[in-house]
Amino acid sequence: MKYDRLVNAFILGCLIAPSASAQVAKWAVLPKYENIKLLESGLYQIKQQGKVGLIDGSGNAVLPMEYDSIMPFSEGHAPVIKDGKFVAIVDYNGKIQDVTKGGYEIVPGMGGFSSGFMPVLKDGSYFYLNTTGDRLVGPFIDAYPFYEGKAVARSVSSEASGELQFDVINPSFDIIPISGVEPGDISFISSFNNGKAICIAKKKVYTIDGSSMMAVPLALDPSDVKKSAVEMLRKEVIPVPDGESGYVLGAKNGLFRFDRSMRLRRIELTGKDPEDFKLQSDKEPEYKTNLATIEDNGLYGLTFRGDVILPPQFDEVGMLCGNRAVVARDGEYGVVVIDTDNQLVFKLNNNEPIGFNHQFYNGNLTMVMPSYINCENARIIDRTNTCDIQIDTRKENKSIEGNSLSYDCRIAIPADASDALQTYEYKFALKYDGLLSADFPVRVPAWYIRDYDVKVAGTGLVPNTTDRILVDLDLNKGWSAGDDNGMYYRRVDVVGPDNMLLPVEKKTENRYSFQMGSVTGNNASFTVLVTEAGCPTVQYPFELIVDRANLGKIDVLKTDAPDPTLPSAPGPQQQLYGQTPQMTTGYAQSQMQGMVQQPMQVQPQNAAYAQSQNIPQAMPQNQMYSQPQQVMQPQQVAQPMQQPMPQTPAYAQPQQVAQPMMQSQQPAPVYTQPQVYAQPQPQSQSPVQAVPVSGGYYQSARPQTNAAQPVATQPAPVAQATYR
């Protein structure tokens, strides 16, 4: 017998976007459905309020959401059920074939296509329906699905006799002959599975090999088939339901179990171990993808090619296919897709080097995003807590090429910043369209600009001593520093020989003085430490050269020449922020902590300063320098002196400087103003000529042409500082 021949052709594929580096995740389907299933073709099967439908990648309806169910896709097609009836066949592209008029019913457990056909029931008979719904092959008394290119059907062999006959057919509906048994003797054939089927002829059980189509008797003892052959209990063969798993068929010495499509899944023979047969899986296909799920504290996120693209923020991550993922939040499902053609771009200070001259730098933070992201609802998040985003400076820009969001921001100086250029990493994230991006690292070169320049304004031997040197320092604003009006707290410390912390007296806002004792040789060094609150400590090392053979002439060598390779700095910062005074940080703090622990020999006249600095005192304090806060103000000494006084200059008697005096009481000290010291001269001028001055002080005899002249008419009581 030969059935009608029907040829079917179809194409099955999974549309997966080409792999590429992705930076942006966006919604393909907003989370608003009860469930979503990804299809290989790129469509989405959605469910809402008990109804199902199909939408495309843009959210457009392909199959209206008005059906009860869409059965599992097989070979790119699926039956569609509405009001309990088989009404349509839909393919992966959303094309629908209406079969309502056919009146077909889905055979329980067999609602899928294989080899281009699916068994259906109509008017109590079985037929094979093709994927377009326009071709029926039949009728049959029974019909099972095609497996491994073969299907089993039972039909009436002769209308005259009314006898039933089992046949194995191919997709062209040709009968495949079976050798080893007579066709008229066959009372049952199962579907093929793993190349094997069960056949019963004249009450004996046979196995059919799918390649040779040879029927071989099944026996308990293969060496004696006649005596141990497996036989049925009766001539009539009727498989009975085996729960929800399928059907069972009993024999005298065994049981045979089948699934609902009549595929052999287990043989249980008396005296033998059961033999199981693996069924062809009907599970969802495993799609190729570069996505993976990550979990943290009960929330889930996504990585793409090993990099975090969406940190944990979802209640569930479902199917993954290509660059798409089903995600759920608050019981509603949506689909996110990785955009491999666009990126999120963060720019800090336009990615230009940052020159810090205070604890904070006023810069700009910009986020550039694809045009489909609504920048009006986007928000930048600082992940390192080092960039204070000024939300009131928010600016938005929209264009067809992309949107941007920018803020002014106050960037905190890194803890390990120095005057050497280094690269620092800041991290930001973008919250947009209900999604939170991964942390995005921004690397920017930065360095600390020396905000001050330290110059030695004057030096001299303390009168009547040969081992104590008095040094005046001036802190001058660097070329890059703006006028901060004293808003930034700074600390000045001096470290002398043997890492001893020396007491420092603040004369004016920018002038400081200190004494260095026990200078017995011709050389002595000290380091000035300047620390602005919250910023690195900057060191300014100096060396003193004492020419004792030349009446104690003192030269100063500045040993920290500026680095000519230091990058040019940006303009000064205009916006000021008040700072809280704090201890010296960085190197100075670590050095000071160690130094304070060492016993220090503090001179009596500096005891009050030592007490204010928490320095251990070795001698009782007296009244000298006991009131540094009462140093004569400039307006009190700015009046011209009537005549020079031949007494020892004021620097030799600090206790007199500390007490303001009226002219009627005692002639005022001659050199109490900062400008009395000769200014440093460039190295290119002639060498310094030192001349003796009363009290052991020395100053340069060179005329001062480019510097402010001292008020006094007699020589200034200090030696000139010479820079080399």
Side-chain angles (χ1 to χ4, degrees), residues 693-706:
V693 186
S694 62
Y697 281 83
Y698 293 82
Q699 80 166 72
S700 172
R702 183 188 304 116
Q704 304 298 311
T705 58
N706 297 323

Side-chain angles (χ1 to χ4, degrees), residues 16-335:
I16 301 177
S19 60
S21 178
Q23 298 291 336
V24 188
K26 65 178 182 179
W27 289 111
V29 180
L30 291 173
K32 60 181 180 180
Y33 298 105
E34 294 177 5
N35 198 1
I36 295 181
K37 181 184 293 185
L38 296 179
L39 304 182
E40 292 174 306
S41 64
L43 297 181
Y44 307 99
Q45 180 177 320
I46 56 175
K47 183 177 182 180
Q48 186 75 337
Q49 296 181 350
K51 299 295 183 180
V52 300
L54 295 177
I55 58 175
D56 61 18
S58 300
N60 300 317
V62 174
L63 183 67
M65 195 163 47
E66 59 185 36
Y67 298 94
D68 297 341
S69 65
I70 300 175
M71 300 186 68
F73 277 83
S74 57
E75 297 186 348
H77 295 79
V80 179
I81 309 300
K82 183 177 182 180
D83 297 329
K85 298 179 180 179
F86 174 33
V87 296
I89 300 172
V90 62
D91 65 13
Y92 265 153
N93 297 317
K95 185 178 180 180
I96 301 175
Q97 300 290 340
D98 191 338
V99 296
T100 305
K101 295 180 179 180
Y104 310 126
E105 298 178 34
I106 300 295
V107 180
M110 304 181 190
F113 288 92
S114 60
S115 297
F117 293 92
M118 178 181 69
V120 294
L121 277 168
K122 182 179 180 180
D123 299 329
S125 297
Y126 288 82
F127 296 83
Y128 286 97
L129 181 67
N130 68 356
T131 55
T132 60
D134 59 0
R135 184 73 169 103
L136 281 177
V137 179
F140 301 99
I141 303 301
D142 277 316
Y144 306 140
F146 279 90
Y147 290 109
E148 301 175 8
K150 305 176 184 67
V152 176
R154 185 170 61 157
S155 60
V156 178
S157 60
S158 170
E159 293 183 1
S161 63
E163 294 182 357
L164 301 180
Q165 177 175 322
F166 277 89
D167 293 300
V168 178
I169 56 179
N170 61 22
S172 299
F173 295 94
D174 297 322
I175 294 177
I176 303 175
I178 302 173
S179 59
V181 293
E182 292 295 328
D185 295 337
I186 298 175
S187 57
F188 174 82
I189 302 177
S190 71
S191 297
F192 281 80
N193 181 42
N194 291 326
K196 182 179 291 188
I198 292 294
C199 173
I200 299 175
K202 291 186 176 181
K203 295 181 58 177
K204 290 186 178 180
V205 180
Y206 294 79
T207 60
I208 302 176
D209 180 75
S211 298
S212 64
M213 295 302 293
M214 173 67 72
V216 177
L218 183 62
L220 299 178
D221 183 4
S223 62
D224 190 355
V225 176
K226 290 184 178 181
K227 291 184 178 181
S228 62
V230 178
E231 296 184 4
M232 302 303 297
L233 295 173
R234 58 185 65 88
K235 184 177 181 181
E236 185 180 18
V237 179
I238 302 177
V240 297
D242 186 17
E244 294 293 329
S245 58
Y247 300 92
V248 63
L249 189 62
K252 290 181 180 179
N253 40 14
L255 289 175
F256 301 89
R257 300 184 186 275
F258 307 91
D259 71 351
R260 300 186 70 183
S261 296
M262 210 59 73
R263 290 177 296 177
L264 179 64
R265 59 185 178 89
R266 186 180 179 91
I267 297 178
E268 302 173 8
L269 298 180
T270 303
K272 289 184 171 292
D273 293 333
E275 183 178 2
D276 291 315
F277 296 86
K278 185 178 180 180
L279 297 174
Q280 179 182 340
S281 177
D282 291 328
K283 69 179 181 180
E284 295 290 340
E286 295 182 1
Y287 303 137
K288 295 181 179 179
T289 181
N290 287 313
L291 290 167
T293 303
I294 55 176
E295 187 268 345
D296 181 33
N297 199 26
L299 294 178
Y300 299 86
L302 292 169
T303 64
F304 185 69
R305 295 192 166 200
D307 296 327
V308 176
I309 193 73
L310 290 173
Q313 56 193 284
F314 305 112
D315 298 330
E316 181 183 345
V317 172
M319 295 178 62
L320 306 175
C321 179
N323 60 348
R324 300 172 294 151
V326 174
V327 299
R329 179 183 290 159
D330 299 328
E332 295 183 320
Y333 288 79
V335 178

Side-chain angles (χ1 to χ4, degrees), residues 434-687:
L435 295 173
L436 177 64
S437 77
D439 294 347
F440 193 99
V442 180
R443 297 175 179 86
V444 180
W447 79 102
Y448 179 63
I449 303 173
R450 295 188 175 195
D451 205 16
Y452 298 94
D453 184 25
V454 178
K455 294 184 178 180
V456 175
T459 60
L461 290 172
V462 175
N464 303 320
T465 68
T466 60
D467 64 347
R468 295 192 63 77
I469 296 176
L470 182 67
V471 181
D472 278 354
L473 304 172
D474 279 348
L475 265 65
N476 299 318
K477 278 285 187 180
W479 63 269
S480 62
D483 184 10
D484 57 18
N485 298 319
M487 293 284 291
Y488 295 96
Y489 170 81
R490 67 173 180 266
R491 179 186 177 92
V492 177
D493 299 284
V494 177
V495 177
D498 300 324
N499 286 332
M500 296 294 289
L501 190 66
L502 304 179
V504 178
E505 180 183 3
K506 184 175 181 179
K507 294 285 189 178
T508 66
E509 181 64 27
N510 293 313
R511 174 158 290 188
Y512 298 80
S513 295
F514 70 94
Q515 291 188 26
M516 184 164 54
S518 302
V519 182
T520 57
N522 295 328
N523 297 81
S525 61
F526 64 90
T527 300
V528 180
L529 307 178
V530 181
T531 306
E532 187 177 281
C535 295
T537 294
V538 180
Q539 305 178 50
Y540 301 85
F542 293 86
E543 183 177 357
L544 298 178
I545 303 175
V546 183
D547 189 355
R548 298 185 182 279
N550 190 10
L551 301 177
K553 174 180 175 293
I554 301 175
D555 287 340
V556 180
L557 180 63
K558 192 174 184 180
T559 60
D560 68 333
D563 185 357
T565 63
L566 200 65
S568 59
Q573 300 300 294
Q574 300 301 323
Q575 189 174 0
L576 302 178
Y577 301 89
Q579 301 299 319
T580 302
Q582 52 185 271
M583 290 297 294
T584 303
T585 58
Y587 170 84
Q589 186 176 8
S590 63
Q591 294 296 322
M592 290 173 61
Q593 291 173 350
M595 290 184 285
V596 172
Q597 294 174 0
Q598 304 174 14
M600 298 182 59
Q601 299 298 325
V602 182
Q603 297 298 323
Q605 65 269 27
N606 291 317
Y609 179 89
Q611 183 178 14
S612 66
Q613 299 297 318
N614 297 322
I615 300 174
Q617 303 179 31
M619 299 179 62
Q621 53 182 331
N622 55 25
Q623 299 303 315
M624 301 180 66
Y625 277 87
S626 61
Q627 299 177 350
Q629 70 276 15
Q630 298 180 4
V631 175
M632 188 176 296
Q633 300 300 317
Q635 64 270 22
Q636 295 175 302
V637 299
Q639 303 176 6
M641 302 294 106
Q642 299 299 323
Q643 60 181 1
M645 302 299 295
Q647 66 183 30
T648 301
Y651 260 119
Q653 302 176 15
Q655 71 276 16
Q656 297 177 3
V657 177
Q659 302 294 332
M661 297 181 298
M662 303 299 295
Q663 291 187 6
S664 61
Q665 295 176 343
Q666 180 180 343
V670 178
Y671 299 107
T672 56
Q673 303 185 66
Q675 64 265 34
V676 299
Y677 302 112
Q679 300 299 315
Q681 299 300 315
Q683 186 176 356
S684 61
Q685 298 187 13
S686 59

